[in-house]
Amino acid sequence: MSELIRAFIAVKVPGNIADSLENFLTELRPLSRIKWVRRNQFHITLKFLGELEPSIIRLVQDLLMPLKKFKPFTIELNHIGGFPNLNAPRVLWLGGDKGSQELAKLSRKINDILYSEADLPIDDKKFRAHLTLARLKDSNLPEELVRKLGTVQNFSWLCDELFLMRSELTPGGPIYSQLL
């Protein structure tokens, strides 16, 4: 039996924006013992695929090729949110309105193609474009961190490509590698 591959489809954050975002997180890290996302993990997930057989991954790669490059649009992330909410977050994220409709449309297109051509399940929960910043075990945020989260700048870039990513879970956190 083949080893399953844990995968997702995402847009990446370009290097210069990742640098700026990392600088912002560097100011936040000392304010709390939260598990902050590392720079090489910055992305916006369009569809989480879960664990798939290598043959299905190859099919997904083939199906995504026509979608990989698309008409560029601007993504702007400029506010902090939380799942399930910012008052008791388990996840802190960075979001914004600009580009969110285009990302949602791209996510729906991916969902439809993978459902019709690869028989993968449709993700029926509402898509919310976001970049995960941190994961929390304790949802109590220190006052100084809450204040600093309110000072987030605009992170803006031109998005024109999606990627199929592998996610290997390790004790030190996930390791991502590009499959397409």
Side-chain angles (χ1 to χ4, degrees):
M1 180 162 172
S2 304
E3 182 181 326
L4 296 177
I5 298 170
R6 187 173 193 263
F8 62 93
I9 301 163
V11 296
K12 292 183 182 180
V13 176
N16 61 329
I17 302 302
D19 291 342
S20 296
L21 186 53
E22 179 64 20
N23 289 338
F24 176 65
L25 292 186
T26 298
E27 295 175 25
L28 301 179
R29 284 187 177 104
L31 303 177
S32 179
R33 299 184 74 168
I34 293 172
K35 182 156 178 55
W36 296 98
V37 171
R38 296 186 308 259
R39 183 188 186 284
N40 62 353
Q41 297 172 330
F42 295 154
H43 69 276
I44 298 173
T45 301
L46 298 170
K47 180 165 179 65
F48 178 71
L49 300 172
E51 295 186 342
L52 300 174
E53 294 283 341
S55 61
I56 302 297
I57 291 291
R58 285 189 293 279
L59 175 59
V60 169
Q61 287 173 315
D62 291 344
L63 293 170
L64 289 178
M65 280 307 290
L67 299 178
K68 184 163 174 52
K69 295 291 259 175
F70 45 83
K71 182 180 175 191
F73 60 90
T74 300
I75 294 175
E76 185 174 289
L77 305 178
N78 55 18
H79 67 268
I80 302 293
F83 292 132
N85 59 59
L86 201 48
N87 293 328
R90 305 302 289 156
V91 172
L92 286 177
W93 50 262
L94 183 62
D97 293 330
K98 193 166 194 171
S100 63
Q101 288 183 345
E102 292 90 341
L103 288 167
K105 185 178 176 183
L106 195 52
S107 177
R108 279 192 306 276
K109 188 181 265 189
I110 291 166
N111 245 327
D112 292 346
I113 288 172
L114 295 184
Y115 174 72
S116 64
E117 302 294 325
D119 201 27
L120 292 177
I122 287 191
D123 188 355
D124 56 1
K125 54 183 188 196
K126 184 177 181 329
F127 177 80
R128 173 175 263 161
H130 69 280
L131 186 151
T132 298
L133 295 175
R135 289 176 170 63
L136 296 80
K137 290 186 193 290
D138 177 7
S139 61
N140 294 325
L141 298 177
E143 189 175 312
E144 176 67 11
L145 176 60
V146 172
R147 189 185 64 70
K148 199 76 164 154
L149 288 172
T151 67
V152 67
Q153 67 186 64
N154 285 343
F155 298 95
S156 179
W157 71 93
L158 196 63
C159 177
D160 65 352
E161 191 171 12
L162 62 82
F163 298 89
L164 176 62
M165 303 296 293
R166 177 184 198 137
S167 172
E168 296 178 67
L169 300 180
T170 71
I175 298 172
Y176 299 150
S177 56
Q178 186 176 317
L179 297 171
L180 173 69

